[in-house]
Amino acid sequence: MDSEALRKFSALHPRPAGLTLHYGTAGFRSAAQQLDHVVFRMGLLAALRSKAVTATIGIMVTASHNPEEDNGVKLVDPLGEMLHPSWEEYATQLANAEEQELQKVITEICQKAAVNLHNDASVFIGRDTRPSSKKLSQSVIDGIQVLGGQYHDYGLVTTPQLHYMVCCQNTQGQYGKATLEGYYEKLSKAFMELIKQSHCSGEFQRHLKIDCANGVGALKLSEMKPYFPQEVLIRIYNDGTKEKLNHLCGADFVKVHQKPPGGLDMKPNERCCSFDGDADRIVYYYEDTAGHFHLIDGDKIATLISIFLKELLAKVKQNFKMAVVQTAYANGNSTRYLQETLKVPVHCVKTGVKHLHHKAQEFDVGVYFEANGHGTVLFSKAAETKIRQLVKEEKDNEKREAAKMLENMIDLINQTVGDAVSDMLVIEAILALKGLSVQQWDALYTDLPNRLLKVQVADRRVIDTTDAERRALTPPGLQEKIDALVKKYKLSRAFVRPSGTEDVVRIYAEADTQENADALAHEVSLAVFHLAGGKGAPPQP
C-alpha cells in the first residue's frame, strides 16, 4: 500500500468533524455535501473487497427515492447481490475513521478479511442523475486508484443495470454481456419471445404511461425503446427535463400518498406505473370511471407473477418447490389469497431486501416483493438447468411450450436485484398472455385498509422484535398492550419496529375498515409513546 498516495488523496477528501454514518441495507445515504470522504473511502473498500474475493465489485452512487439534494453509495458483490454483512461493518469503520487512522483501519480490514494487497482489483462504477453524482463518482475513482485497482465507469445507469453488469462480468458472460446493449438485447429478446406466445396479441392494447421520477430510468428506457416491437406503446413522463428528481413523483411518492404523481395526466382505466429515482422499484395504478385511485403495489405484483409461474410449473410437471417471501408489511389479504386460494407457501422475513433475497434462494422458484414495489424472482440452478433441458428435449407440445415460457421468464427477470424495467416487462407480458386488464388484475383480492405511522423516541434501540418483526420483545408490556388493542377490531393486526436509520418507531395496523385501521394505528402509537420513551407531544389522532 502506497502510504504517501493514501495520505495525499485522503487530504483531498477530508472527513467533516463529528460526522458519523452507518452502512445499512441501502448503503450510506446523507446530504450530498457530506459524502465526499465516504465515497472516496468506499472506492478504497471496493478495491479491498475485489482483492479479497478476486472478482469484480460494483459501486453505485445513488440515493434512490431520497430528495435530489441527498446522495448515497452502495457496493455490489460479485454475483450482483448486496455487500456481505461482515463487510458492512468494515464500510462503517472505514467511513468514520479519523484521517490519521485510515491506514491502520485498512490494515486491520486486510488482516480480518485475509486480503492480499498484491492481488488485482477490478471495480465497475455507476451513478444516477443527481447533480452531485458525477463529482462523487470521481472521488470513488480516486479511492480505487490509491490501492492500484482497475475500474470501468459506466456513467449514468440504473442501479439494477450495474448489478446485472457485475454479475455478467463474474460469470464470464454466462448471465449475459456486461454492457448496456447486452442488457437491452437480452431483456427485449425474452420479452418478444414471450409476447409471441400470446394468443390475443392482436387486439390487446399495450399502452402504458410510465412516471420515471425525473430519474435515470427515463434515460435508460428511452435508450431501450428501439429494441421493443412496434405494438409496445410506452409513454414516458417525468423524464427529468423539467422537474427535480423524486419531487411529487416516483414509486415512493405514489405508494406513500396513495395518489397519482404530478406531471402525468391519467384518463379513466388507463394502465400507469411509476419507477423510483434509480429504477429498482415499481408500482402500478389506475383511476376508475368514478375517479377513484387504485394502487397496485408489490404484494399484488408478486401475486400476479405467482399465478402465472404456478400455472406453468404445473404444466411442466416437475417437482419444483415454489414459495413467496414477504415482510410483515405485506397486506394480510395478499397473504391469505396466496396461501388459501393459490395454495402457494408464504414465508415472512425481517424488513430489508437482503433478508427477502436470502430466503428466496432456498426454493427452486422464489418470488419476493416488498409492498413498496422492490422485488424479483429467483430460480435455482437446478430448476433453470432442467427448464432449459425441457425446451430442447421435451416431445410433449404442451410441456415444451410451458418450459419455453419459463425459459423466457428466466431471461426476462433480473435475478440479481429488483429492477423496475425488467419487472415492468414481466408484468406487461403476463397481462398480455393472460388477456387481463389492469382492473381484472386489481380485482384478484381487495387490500385490507391499513395505516402506517411513526413515533419519535429518545432511543429506537429500546424496541426489540422477534417473529420476523411481528412481535415486540421489549419494552416490557408493549406486546401485551398491542395484543389487547388488536382484539377490539375485526380482521386486524398491528406491529411496531424500530427504524433502521433514525430514532423513530414505525407502526403498521390493518383492520376491516379504514376508520378501524386508523384508530388501531393511533392507539398503538400512544402505547409506543408511553412505553418506549416518546419525544415531544403525544401522537394526535
Side-chain angles (χ1 to χ4, degrees):
M1 178 167 35
D2 185 341
S3 315
E4 191 46 46
L6 180 64
R7 212 165 49 81
K8 190 180 109 191
F9 275 95
S10 181
L12 295 174
H13 306 285
R15 175 174 165 251
L19 178 69
T20 305
L21 296 168
H22 289 274
Y23 193 103
T25 301
F28 289 108
R29 282 199 197 157
S30 185
Q33 67 271 21
Q34 297 184 328
L35 283 174
D36 184 58
H37 71 295
V38 174
V39 291
F40 164 70
R41 293 171 182 203
M42 289 309 98
L44 296 171
L45 193 76
L48 292 175
R49 179 76 177 141
S50 176
K51 288 171 190 274
V53 293
T54 58
T56 296
I57 294 296
I59 191 162
M60 183 74 194
V61 176
T62 181
S64 189
H65 54 273
N66 281 33
E68 192 172 84
E69 303 73 47
D70 289 352
N71 218 322
V73 62
K74 56 184 172 188
L75 273 67
V76 179
D77 254 1
L79 293 178
E81 70 276 59
M82 294 163 85
L83 182 64
H84 192 278
S86 62
W87 279 73
E88 289 184 5
E89 284 179 40
Y90 303 151
T92 300
Q93 285 165 12
L94 199 56
N96 296 316
E98 296 295 342
E99 210 122 331
Q100 61 278 15
E101 301 278 293
L102 212 47
Q103 184 160 350
K104 184 168 147 256
V105 173
I106 291 172
T107 307
E108 278 170 13
I109 293 170
C110 289
Q111 283 163 352
K112 280 188 204 151
V115 180
N116 180 353
L117 282 172
H118 298 299
N119 285 351
D120 290 339
S122 153
V123 183
F124 282 0
I125 307 165
R127 66 173 192 270
D128 71 10
T129 55
R130 291 163 197 272
S132 57
S133 292
K134 192 168 184 213
K135 187 174 176 297
L136 289 174
S137 68
Q138 194 48 57
S139 303
V140 169
I141 292 170
D142 284 353
I144 297 164
Q145 289 186 314
V146 166
L147 291 178
Q150 302 291 312
Y151 69 89
H152 182 90
D153 184 3
Y154 281 92
L156 293 167
V157 287
T158 70
T159 296
Q161 285 176 334
L162 186 75
H163 283 256
Y164 174 91
M165 257 117 44
V166 169
C167 183
C168 292
Q169 181 69 14
N170 290 314
T171 54
Q172 284 68 52
Q174 268 180 303
Y175 194 66
K177 278 201 263 202
T179 62
L180 280 174
E181 293 71 36
Y183 171 92
Y184 298 144
E185 277 164 12
K186 180 179 172 181
L187 267 62
S188 58
K189 180 172 175 283
F191 177 71
M192 292 195 293
E193 289 289 323
L194 265 175
I195 294 293
K196 243 192 258 174
Q197 292 170 281
S198 152
H199 303 302
C200 55
S201 51
E203 75 274 23
F204 195 76
Q205 67 120 359
R206 273 197 260 293
H207 289 267
L208 177 66
K209 290 182 168 178
I210 307 170
D211 152 35
C212 287
N214 291 309
V216 68
L219 294 176
K220 300 297 129 181
L221 213 46
S222 305
E223 283 175 17
M224 196 173 181
K225 259 187 170 177
Y227 293 83
F228 291 141
Q230 262 65 43
E231 60 265 28
V232 179
L233 300 165
I234 55 175
R235 294 188 52 197
I236 297 172
Y237 294 82
N238 297 324
D239 63 0
T241 54
K242 298 184 193 72
E243 291 289 336
K244 279 170 73 165
L245 176 70
N246 295 325
H247 181 60
L248 304 180
C249 63
D252 200 56
F253 173 85
V254 172
K255 168 83 177 139
V256 171
H257 296 280
Q258 304 269 327
K259 64 180 188 184
L264 184 148
D265 55 319
M266 283 173 78
K267 295 188 178 64
N269 294 334
E270 271 188 336
R271 205 161 64 250
C272 305
C273 69
S274 285
F275 293 0
D276 71 337
D278 63 340
D280 65 358
R281 290 185 189 184
I282 184 170
V283 294
Y284 270 69
Y285 45 91
Y286 68 98
E287 225 161 52
D288 62 27
T289 43
H292 295 300
F293 177 79
H294 295 254
L295 175 74
I296 299 178
D297 65 3
D299 298 337
K300 241 173 211 169
I301 293 172
T303 305
L304 178 74
I305 293 172
S306 300
I307 291 170
F308 185 67
L309 290 176
K310 189 171 186 226
E311 286 171 6
L312 293 178
L313 292 170
K315 285 179 186 166
V316 296
K317 297 185 171 65
Q318 300 294 315
N319 250 340
F320 291 140
K321 271 172 57 187
M322 174 179 163
V324 176
V325 186
Q326 297 182 323
T327 71
Y329 286 110
N331 194 277
N333 277 356
S334 76
T335 313
R336 246 177 234 115
Y337 180 85
L338 287 163
Q339 286 176 327
E340 293 167 19
T341 308
L342 258 196
K343 305 274 188 274
V344 170
V346 178
H347 297 267
C348 185
V349 297
K350 280 169 70 171
T351 306
V353 177
K354 60 184 172 191
H355 302 298
L356 290 140
H357 193 90
H358 190 69
K359 186 70 184 173
Q361 288 173 321
E362 293 177 17
F363 309 98
D364 291 311
V365 182
V367 181
Y368 76 80
F369 270 84
E370 290 188 293
N372 65 25
H374 186 288
T376 187
V377 184
L378 304 184
F379 292 86
S380 70
K381 220 49 221 125
E384 184 178 331
T385 306
K386 186 69 194 165
I387 287 162
R388 295 198 194 274
Q389 184 192 343
L390 287 171
V391 173
K392 288 197 186 80
E393 298 168 13
E394 181 55 55
K395 302 284 183 283
D396 178 277
N397 274 351
E398 194 192 22
K399 261 194 189 179
R400 195 180 57 249
E401 279 299 292
K404 184 92 192 93
M405 277 195 186
L406 283 168
E407 181 177 53
N408 286 319
M409 284 290 279
I410 290 170
D411 289 335
L412 184 53
I413 288 164
N414 185 344
Q415 292 185 58
T416 64
V417 72
D419 181 338
V421 175
S422 154
D423 289 339
M424 173 193 85
L425 294 173
V426 166
I427 292 161
E428 290 301 305
I430 295 173
L431 293 175
L433 286 160
K434 293 189 71 63
L436 285 174
S437 68
V438 68
Q439 296 82 354
Q440 288 168 310
W441 173 20
D442 186 34
L444 288 172
Y445 62 83
T446 306
D447 276 328
L448 278 173
N450 56 82
R451 177 63 64 210
L452 279 162
L453 294 176
K454 54 185 183 183
V455 175
Q456 285 210 306
V457 291
D459 181 2
R460 66 181 183 271
R461 289 170 302 187
V462 300
I463 301 250
D464 190 20
T465 63
T466 184
D467 187 23
E469 301 178 315
R470 288 176 290 191
R471 297 188 67 76
L473 290 170
T474 60
L478 178 60
Q479 187 57 53
E480 290 75 9
K481 183 74 180 155
I482 294 170
D483 290 342
L485 292 168
V486 164
K487 282 200 182 104
K488 292 166 57 179
Y489 302 99
K490 282 197 193 121
L491 297 175
S492 64
R493 70 183 180 103
F495 67 89
V496 302
R497 56 179 287 271
S499 158
T501 49
E502 51 187 330
D503 278 322
V504 301
V505 175
R506 301 192 187 282
I507 289 146
Y508 177 87
E510 59 186 33
D512 57 341
T513 67
Q514 190 62 57
E515 196 182 354
N516 286 347
D518 290 348
L520 177 58
H522 175 63
E523 288 170 345
V524 171
S525 74
L526 282 174
V528 169
F529 183 84
H530 292 301
L531 293 169
K535 274 173 73 176
Q540 297 303 308

